[in-house]
mmCIF file of all heavy atoms in Angstrom:
data_model
loop_
_atom_site.group_PDB
_atom_site.id
_atom_site.type_symbol
_atom_site.label_atom_id
_atom_site.label_comp_id
_atom_site.label_asym_id
_atom_site.label_seq_id
_atom_site.Cartn_x
_atom_site.Cartn_y
_atom_site.Cartn_z
ATOM 1 N N THR A 30 5.566 -7.854 -48.231
ATOM 2 C CA THR A 30 4.435 -8.586 -47.655
ATOM 3 C C THR A 30 4.817 -9.234 -46.326
ATOM 4 O O THR A 30 4.050 -9.202 -45.354
ATOM 5 C CB THR A 30 3.961 -9.659 -48.650
ATOM 6 O OG1 THR A 30 3.584 -9.028 -49.877
ATOM 7 C CG2 THR A 30 2.774 -10.430 -48.105
ATOM 8 N N TYR A 31 6.009 -9.844 -46.278
ATOM 9 C CA TYR A 31 6.471 -10.449 -45.018
ATOM 10 C C TYR A 31 6.624 -9.387 -43.930
ATOM 11 O O TYR A 31 6.234 -9.607 -42.768
ATOM 12 C CB TYR A 31 7.796 -11.153 -45.259
ATOM 13 C CG TYR A 31 8.377 -11.788 -44.017
ATOM 14 C CD1 TYR A 31 7.853 -12.976 -43.507
ATOM 15 C CD2 TYR A 31 9.446 -11.195 -43.358
ATOM 16 C CE1 TYR A 31 8.380 -13.545 -42.354
ATOM 17 C CE2 TYR A 31 9.982 -11.760 -42.209
ATOM 18 C CZ TYR A 31 9.449 -12.939 -41.709
ATOM 19 O OH TYR A 31 9.969 -13.495 -40.573
ATOM 20 N N THR A 32 7.178 -8.241 -44.307
ATOM 21 C CA THR A 32 7.322 -7.155 -43.331
ATOM 22 C C THR A 32 5.957 -6.692 -42.822
ATOM 23 O O THR A 32 5.771 -6.479 -41.608
ATOM 24 C CB THR A 32 8.076 -5.978 -43.969
ATOM 25 O OG1 THR A 32 9.347 -6.424 -44.412
ATOM 26 C CG2 THR A 32 8.242 -4.837 -42.981
ATOM 27 N N ASN A 33 5.012 -6.555 -43.730
ATOM 28 C CA ASN A 33 3.679 -6.116 -43.314
ATOM 29 C C ASN A 33 2.979 -7.137 -42.428
ATOM 30 O O ASN A 33 2.048 -6.782 -41.696
ATOM 31 C CB ASN A 33 2.823 -5.834 -44.554
ATOM 32 C CG ASN A 33 3.350 -4.681 -45.378
ATOM 33 O OD1 ASN A 33 4.044 -3.797 -44.862
ATOM 34 N ND2 ASN A 33 3.046 -4.673 -46.663
ATOM 35 N N THR A 34 3.413 -8.410 -42.485
ATOM 36 C CA THR A 34 2.803 -9.428 -41.644
ATOM 37 C C THR A 34 3.490 -9.532 -40.286
ATOM 38 O O THR A 34 2.831 -9.637 -39.237
ATOM 39 C CB THR A 34 2.848 -10.790 -42.365
ATOM 40 O OG1 THR A 34 2.186 -10.675 -43.621
ATOM 41 C CG2 THR A 34 2.176 -11.864 -41.540
ATOM 42 N N VAL A 35 4.836 -9.531 -40.285
ATOM 43 C CA VAL A 35 5.584 -9.769 -39.050
ATOM 44 C C VAL A 35 5.566 -8.553 -38.136
ATOM 45 O O VAL A 35 5.370 -8.678 -36.913
ATOM 46 C CB VAL A 35 7.030 -10.183 -39.397
ATOM 47 C CG1 VAL A 35 7.878 -10.263 -38.133
ATOM 48 C CG2 VAL A 35 7.026 -11.520 -40.109
ATOM 49 N N VAL A 36 5.770 -7.384 -38.690
ATOM 50 C CA VAL A 36 5.865 -6.179 -37.853
ATOM 51 C C VAL A 36 4.575 -5.925 -37.069
ATOM 52 O O VAL A 36 4.623 -5.686 -35.857
ATOM 53 C CB VAL A 36 6.252 -4.968 -38.729
ATOM 54 C CG1 VAL A 36 6.157 -3.682 -37.933
ATOM 55 C CG2 VAL A 36 7.665 -5.145 -39.258
ATOM 56 N N PRO A 37 3.379 -5.985 -37.680
ATOM 57 C CA PRO A 37 2.169 -5.786 -36.869
ATOM 58 C C PRO A 37 1.997 -6.840 -35.777
ATOM 59 O O PRO A 37 1.543 -6.529 -34.674
ATOM 60 C CB PRO A 37 1.038 -5.858 -37.900
ATOM 61 C CG PRO A 37 1.671 -5.475 -39.184
ATOM 62 C CD PRO A 37 3.039 -6.034 -39.116
ATOM 63 N N GLU A 38 2.373 -8.117 -36.082
ATOM 64 C CA GLU A 38 2.261 -9.135 -35.041
ATOM 65 C C GLU A 38 3.203 -8.840 -33.882
ATOM 66 O O GLU A 38 2.826 -8.983 -32.701
ATOM 67 C CB GLU A 38 2.580 -10.509 -35.641
ATOM 68 C CG GLU A 38 1.531 -11.002 -36.625
ATOM 69 C CD GLU A 38 1.873 -12.368 -37.193
ATOM 70 O OE1 GLU A 38 2.981 -12.859 -36.866
ATOM 71 O OE2 GLU A 38 1.057 -12.935 -37.945
ATOM 72 N N ALA A 39 4.449 -8.452 -34.184
ATOM 73 C CA ALA A 39 5.392 -8.111 -33.117
ATOM 74 C C ALA A 39 4.911 -6.913 -32.313
ATOM 75 O O ALA A 39 5.005 -6.893 -31.073
ATOM 76 C CB ALA A 39 6.768 -7.838 -33.717
ATOM 77 N N LYS A 40 4.381 -5.927 -32.999
ATOM 78 C CA LYS A 40 3.847 -4.761 -32.273
ATOM 79 C C LYS A 40 2.662 -5.152 -31.392
ATOM 80 O O LYS A 40 2.506 -4.646 -30.281
ATOM 81 C CB LYS A 40 3.434 -3.686 -33.270
ATOM 82 C CG LYS A 40 4.603 -3.013 -33.984
ATOM 83 C CD LYS A 40 4.132 -1.920 -34.930
ATOM 84 C CE LYS A 40 5.300 -1.231 -35.614
ATOM 85 N NZ LYS A 40 4.851 -0.166 -36.558
ATOM 86 N N GLY A 41 1.830 -6.075 -31.895
ATOM 87 C CA GLY A 41 0.694 -6.520 -31.080
ATOM 88 C C GLY A 41 1.143 -7.268 -29.832
ATOM 89 O O GLY A 41 0.610 -7.037 -28.730
ATOM 90 N N ARG A 42 2.126 -8.177 -29.988
ATOM 91 C CA ARG A 42 2.635 -8.889 -28.807
ATOM 92 C C ARG A 42 3.300 -7.931 -27.829
ATOM 93 O O ARG A 42 3.148 -8.071 -26.598
ATOM 94 C CB ARG A 42 3.622 -9.959 -29.255
ATOM 95 C CG ARG A 42 2.969 -11.135 -29.985
ATOM 96 C CD ARG A 42 3.905 -12.327 -30.053
ATOM 97 N NE ARG A 42 5.102 -12.011 -30.812
ATOM 98 C CZ ARG A 42 5.234 -12.204 -32.123
ATOM 99 N NH1 ARG A 42 4.215 -12.710 -32.810
ATOM 100 N NH2 ARG A 42 6.363 -11.906 -32.739
ATOM 101 N N SER A 43 4.055 -6.983 -28.348
ATOM 102 C CA SER A 43 4.688 -6.002 -27.476
ATOM 103 C C SER A 43 3.655 -5.195 -26.696
ATOM 104 O O SER A 43 3.784 -4.981 -25.480
ATOM 105 C CB SER A 43 5.578 -5.071 -28.295
ATOM 106 O OG SER A 43 6.121 -4.037 -27.495
ATOM 107 N N ALA A 44 2.602 -4.768 -27.397
ATOM 108 C CA ALA A 44 1.558 -4.010 -26.692
ATOM 109 C C ALA A 44 0.861 -4.877 -25.646
ATOM 110 O O ALA A 44 0.507 -4.399 -24.549
ATOM 111 C CB ALA A 44 0.551 -3.488 -27.713
ATOM 112 N N GLN A 45 0.663 -6.182 -25.957
ATOM 113 C CA GLN A 45 0.021 -7.070 -24.994
ATOM 114 C C GLN A 45 0.870 -7.228 -23.738
ATOM 115 O O GLN A 45 0.361 -7.186 -22.608
ATOM 116 C CB GLN A 45 -0.224 -8.429 -25.650
ATOM 117 C CG GLN A 45 -0.928 -9.430 -24.757
ATOM 118 C CD GLN A 45 -1.127 -10.764 -25.446
ATOM 119 O OE1 GLN A 45 -0.682 -10.942 -26.580
ATOM 120 N NE2 GLN A 45 -1.777 -11.688 -24.772
ATOM 121 N N ILE A 46 2.188 -7.422 -23.936
ATOM 122 C CA ILE A 46 3.083 -7.554 -22.774
ATOM 123 C C ILE A 46 3.092 -6.281 -21.942
ATOM 124 O O ILE A 46 3.046 -6.311 -20.698
ATOM 125 C CB ILE A 46 4.497 -7.927 -23.260
ATOM 126 C CG1 ILE A 46 4.486 -9.321 -23.906
ATOM 127 C CG2 ILE A 46 5.493 -7.874 -22.117
ATOM 128 C CD1 ILE A 46 5.795 -9.696 -24.555
ATOM 129 N N LEU A 47 3.149 -5.139 -22.610
ATOM 130 C CA LEU A 47 3.151 -3.874 -21.872
ATOM 131 C C LEU A 47 1.854 -3.677 -21.095
ATOM 132 O O LEU A 47 1.872 -3.219 -19.932
ATOM 133 C CB LEU A 47 3.365 -2.716 -22.857
ATOM 134 C CG LEU A 47 4.752 -2.614 -23.506
ATOM 135 C CD1 LEU A 47 4.783 -1.479 -24.512
ATOM 136 C CD2 LEU A 47 5.824 -2.401 -22.441
ATOM 137 N N GLN A 48 0.731 -4.032 -21.714
ATOM 138 C CA GLN A 48 -0.538 -3.887 -20.994
ATOM 139 C C GLN A 48 -0.632 -4.837 -19.806
ATOM 140 O O GLN A 48 -1.145 -4.469 -18.737
ATOM 141 C CB GLN A 48 -1.689 -4.138 -21.968
ATOM 142 C CG GLN A 48 -1.845 -3.053 -23.024
ATOM 143 C CD GLN A 48 -2.946 -3.371 -24.001
ATOM 144 O OE1 GLN A 48 -3.586 -4.405 -23.910
ATOM 145 N NE2 GLN A 48 -3.150 -2.470 -24.959
ATOM 146 N N ALA A 49 -0.124 -6.093 -19.968
ATOM 147 C CA ALA A 49 -0.131 -7.031 -18.840
ATOM 148 C C ALA A 49 0.755 -6.533 -17.698
ATOM 149 O O ALA A 49 0.387 -6.616 -16.514
ATOM 150 C CB ALA A 49 0.332 -8.405 -19.314
ATOM 151 N N ALA A 50 1.948 -6.012 -18.062
ATOM 152 C CA ALA A 50 2.838 -5.477 -17.023
ATOM 153 C C ALA A 50 2.215 -4.266 -16.336
ATOM 154 O O ALA A 50 2.317 -4.106 -15.102
ATOM 155 C CB ALA A 50 4.185 -5.094 -17.652
ATOM 156 N N GLU A 51 1.563 -3.434 -17.106
ATOM 157 C CA GLU A 51 0.914 -2.269 -16.509
ATOM 158 C C GLU A 51 -0.199 -2.697 -15.555
ATOM 159 O O GLU A 51 -0.361 -2.128 -14.452
ATOM 160 C CB GLU A 51 0.352 -1.374 -17.616
ATOM 161 C CG GLU A 51 -0.241 -0.064 -17.127
ATOM 162 C CD GLU A 51 0.784 0.879 -16.541
ATOM 163 O OE1 GLU A 51 1.967 0.751 -16.902
ATOM 164 O OE2 GLU A 51 0.398 1.729 -15.706
ATOM 165 N N GLY A 52 -0.970 -3.737 -15.981
ATOM 166 C CA GLY A 52 -2.027 -4.235 -15.090
ATOM 167 C C GLY A 52 -1.466 -4.843 -13.817
ATOM 168 O O GLY A 52 -2.012 -4.629 -12.715
ATOM 169 N N TYR A 53 -0.372 -5.634 -13.955
ATOM 170 C CA TYR A 53 0.236 -6.231 -12.764
ATOM 171 C C TYR A 53 0.777 -5.151 -11.832
ATOM 172 O O TYR A 53 0.641 -5.232 -10.610
ATOM 173 C CB TYR A 53 1.351 -7.180 -13.186
ATOM 174 C CG TYR A 53 2.109 -7.774 -12.030
ATOM 175 C CD1 TYR A 53 1.553 -8.793 -11.243
ATOM 176 C CD2 TYR A 53 3.386 -7.320 -11.708
ATOM 177 C CE1 TYR A 53 2.238 -9.327 -10.173
ATOM 178 C CE2 TYR A 53 4.079 -7.856 -10.638
ATOM 179 C CZ TYR A 53 3.510 -8.860 -9.872
ATOM 180 O OH TYR A 53 4.195 -9.390 -8.806
ATOM 181 N N ARG A 54 1.413 -4.142 -12.397
ATOM 182 C CA ARG A 54 1.938 -3.058 -11.566
ATOM 183 C C ARG A 54 0.813 -2.355 -10.814
ATOM 184 O O ARG A 54 0.903 -2.094 -9.603
ATOM 185 C CB ARG A 54 2.703 -2.059 -12.437
ATOM 186 C CG ARG A 54 3.333 -0.905 -11.659
ATOM 187 C CD ARG A 54 4.006 0.068 -12.607
ATOM 188 N NE ARG A 54 3.031 0.771 -13.397
ATOM 189 C CZ ARG A 54 2.391 1.891 -12.984
ATOM 190 N NH1 ARG A 54 2.651 2.392 -11.781
ATOM 191 N NH2 ARG A 54 1.515 2.472 -13.769
ATOM 192 N N SER A 55 -0.272 -2.047 -11.528
ATOM 193 C CA SER A 55 -1.385 -1.357 -10.873
ATOM 194 C C SER A 55 -1.984 -2.220 -9.770
ATOM 195 O O SER A 55 -2.324 -1.723 -8.677
ATOM 196 C CB SER A 55 -2.452 -1.012 -11.923
ATOM 197 O OG SER A 55 -1.915 -0.176 -12.924
ATOM 198 N N GLN A 56 -2.113 -3.552 -10.037
ATOM 199 C CA GLN A 56 -2.679 -4.442 -9.033
ATOM 200 C C GLN A 56 -1.788 -4.527 -7.795
ATOM 201 O O GLN A 56 -2.262 -4.467 -6.650
ATOM 202 C CB GLN A 56 -2.878 -5.823 -9.638
ATOM 203 C CG GLN A 56 -3.467 -6.839 -8.663
ATOM 204 C CD GLN A 56 -3.591 -8.209 -9.288
ATOM 205 O OE1 GLN A 56 -3.274 -8.389 -10.458
ATOM 206 N NE2 GLN A 56 -4.042 -9.184 -8.504
ATOM 207 N N THR A 57 -0.460 -4.682 -8.030
ATOM 208 C CA THR A 57 0.474 -4.794 -6.902
ATOM 209 C C THR A 57 0.494 -3.526 -6.062
ATOM 210 O O THR A 57 0.474 -3.560 -4.814
ATOM 211 C CB THR A 57 1.882 -5.102 -7.433
ATOM 212 O OG1 THR A 57 1.840 -6.289 -8.223
ATOM 213 C CG2 THR A 57 2.864 -5.300 -6.292
ATOM 214 N N VAL A 58 0.534 -2.386 -6.733
ATOM 215 C CA VAL A 58 0.545 -1.112 -6.000
ATOM 216 C C VAL A 58 -0.746 -0.940 -5.207
ATOM 217 O O VAL A 58 -0.743 -0.479 -4.035
ATOM 218 C CB VAL A 58 0.759 0.047 -6.983
ATOM 219 C CG1 VAL A 58 0.548 1.388 -6.293
ATOM 220 C CG2 VAL A 58 2.155 -0.010 -7.581
ATOM 221 N N ALA A 59 -1.886 -1.320 -5.835
ATOM 222 C CA ALA A 59 -3.158 -1.179 -5.112
ATOM 223 C C ALA A 59 -3.218 -2.097 -3.896
ATOM 224 O O ALA A 59 -3.680 -1.689 -2.812
ATOM 225 C CB ALA A 59 -4.310 -1.486 -6.071
ATOM 226 N N GLU A 60 -2.724 -3.355 -4.054
ATOM 227 C CA GLU A 60 -2.726 -4.263 -2.906
ATOM 228 C C GLU A 60 -1.797 -3.759 -1.801
ATOM 229 O O GLU A 60 -2.136 -3.807 -0.608
ATOM 230 C CB GLU A 60 -2.297 -5.658 -3.358
ATOM 231 C CG GLU A 60 -3.342 -6.353 -4.217
ATOM 232 C CD GLU A 60 -2.872 -7.710 -4.688
ATOM 233 O OE1 GLU A 60 -1.689 -8.039 -4.415
ATOM 234 O OE2 GLU A 60 -3.656 -8.441 -5.327
ATOM 235 N N ALA A 61 -0.616 -3.308 -2.181
ATOM 236 C CA ALA A 61 0.314 -2.788 -1.173
ATOM 237 C C ALA A 61 -0.263 -1.564 -0.454
ATOM 238 O O ALA A 61 -0.141 -1.416 0.781
ATOM 239 C CB ALA A 61 1.647 -2.434 -1.827
ATOM 240 N N THR A 62 -0.921 -0.709 -1.242
ATOM 241 C CA THR A 62 -1.540 0.483 -0.636
ATOM 242 C C THR A 62 -2.645 0.073 0.344
ATOM 243 O O THR A 62 -2.780 0.641 1.444
ATOM 244 C CB THR A 62 -2.098 1.388 -1.731
ATOM 245 O OG1 THR A 62 -1.040 1.748 -2.635
ATOM 246 C CG2 THR A 62 -2.688 2.655 -1.139
ATOM 247 N N GLY A 63 -3.444 -0.932 -0.070
ATOM 248 C CA GLY A 63 -4.519 -1.388 0.824
ATOM 249 C C GLY A 63 -3.980 -2.030 2.091
ATOM 250 O O GLY A 63 -4.503 -1.787 3.198
ATOM 251 N N GLN A 64 -2.928 -2.862 1.986
ATOM 252 C CA GLN A 64 -2.338 -3.479 3.159
ATOM 253 C C GLN A 64 -1.719 -2.438 4.089
ATOM 254 O O GLN A 64 -1.817 -2.532 5.331
ATOM 255 C CB GLN A 64 -1.280 -4.500 2.727
ATOM 256 C CG GLN A 64 -1.877 -5.723 2.033
ATOM 257 C CD GLN A 64 -0.809 -6.671 1.536
ATOM 258 O OE1 GLN A 64 0.388 -6.421 1.745
ATOM 259 N NE2 GLN A 64 -1.248 -7.754 0.887
ATOM 260 N N THR A 65 -1.087 -1.459 3.491
ATOM 261 C CA THR A 65 -0.500 -0.392 4.308
ATOM 262 C C THR A 65 -1.586 0.358 5.081
ATOM 263 O O THR A 65 -1.440 0.656 6.290
ATOM 264 C CB THR A 65 0.284 0.578 3.420
ATOM 265 O OG1 THR A 65 1.293 -0.144 2.724
ATOM 266 C CG2 THR A 65 0.921 1.676 4.244
ATOM 267 N N SER A 66 -2.679 0.668 4.376
ATOM 268 C CA SER A 66 -3.769 1.372 5.050
ATOM 269 C C SER A 66 -4.385 0.518 6.172
ATOM 270 O O SER A 66 -4.677 1.007 7.268
ATOM 271 C CB SER A 66 -4.838 1.747 4.020
ATOM 272 O OG SER A 66 -5.951 2.350 4.658
ATOM 273 N N ARG A 67 -4.531 -0.791 5.919
ATOM 274 C CA ARG A 67 -5.078 -1.682 6.945
ATOM 275 C C ARG A 67 -4.150 -1.771 8.148
ATOM 276 O O ARG A 67 -4.588 -1.752 9.304
ATOM 277 C CB ARG A 67 -5.286 -3.063 6.322
ATOM 278 C CG ARG A 67 -5.828 -4.107 7.287
ATOM 279 C CD ARG A 67 -6.124 -5.404 6.527
ATOM 280 N NE ARG A 67 -6.531 -6.438 7.435
ATOM 281 C CZ ARG A 67 -5.692 -7.265 8.091
ATOM 282 N NH1 ARG A 67 -4.377 -7.136 7.863
ATOM 283 N NH2 ARG A 67 -6.135 -8.203 8.907
ATOM 284 N N PHE A 68 -2.822 -1.892 7.867
ATOM 285 C CA PHE A 68 -1.869 -1.942 8.979
ATOM 286 C C PHE A 68 -1.915 -0.667 9.819
ATOM 287 O O PHE A 68 -1.856 -0.717 11.058
ATOM 288 C CB PHE A 68 -0.464 -2.180 8.422
ATOM 289 C CG PHE A 68 0.587 -2.270 9.477
ATOM 290 C CD1 PHE A 68 0.796 -3.454 10.189
ATOM 291 C CD2 PHE A 68 1.382 -1.162 9.776
ATOM 292 C CE1 PHE A 68 1.764 -3.512 11.187
ATOM 293 C CE2 PHE A 68 2.348 -1.240 10.770
ATOM 294 C CZ PHE A 68 2.536 -2.420 11.478
ATOM 295 N N ASP A 69 -2.003 0.471 9.146
ATOM 296 C CA ASP A 69 -2.078 1.732 9.897
ATOM 297 C C ASP A 69 -3.326 1.783 10.771
ATOM 298 O O ASP A 69 -3.282 2.250 11.935
ATOM 299 C CB ASP A 69 -2.059 2.905 8.929
ATOM 300 C CG ASP A 69 -0.703 3.045 8.232
ATOM 301 O OD1 ASP A 69 0.292 2.522 8.778
ATOM 302 O OD2 ASP A 69 -0.660 3.664 7.131
ATOM 303 N N GLN A 70 -4.443 1.306 10.273
ATOM 304 C CA GLN A 70 -5.672 1.316 11.059
ATOM 305 C C GLN A 70 -5.580 0.363 12.267
ATOM 306 O O GLN A 70 -6.005 0.710 13.391
ATOM 307 C CB GLN A 70 -6.855 0.925 10.173
ATOM 308 C CG GLN A 70 -7.169 1.950 9.094
ATOM 309 C CD GLN A 70 -8.286 1.494 8.184
ATOM 310 O OE1 GLN A 70 -8.860 0.433 8.408
ATOM 311 N NE2 GLN A 70 -8.588 2.296 7.163
#
């Protein structure tokens, strides 16, 4: 019972961290791409 409770919570937190990092990466890359395009123009 303890395993069934702790493991799903840990997996949920891990997935949340991965999704936040993925969102931050996408945002940073998009901003850098936009700034680069603006500088070129």
Side-chain angles (χ1 to χ4, degrees):
T30 301
Y31 179 76
T32 302
N33 295 335
T34 303
V35 173
V36 172
E38 291 180 355
K40 290 182 179 179
R42 290 196 297 269
S43 175
Q45 182 181 3
I46 295 173
L47 291 177
Q48 291 177 359
E51 185 67 24
Y53 176 75
R54 182 183 69 85
S55 300
Q56 180 182 358
T57 303
V58 171
E60 289 178 355
T62 302
Q64 292 176 2
T65 302
S66 176
R67 179 175 175 273
F68 181 81
D69 292 339
Q70 293 176 3

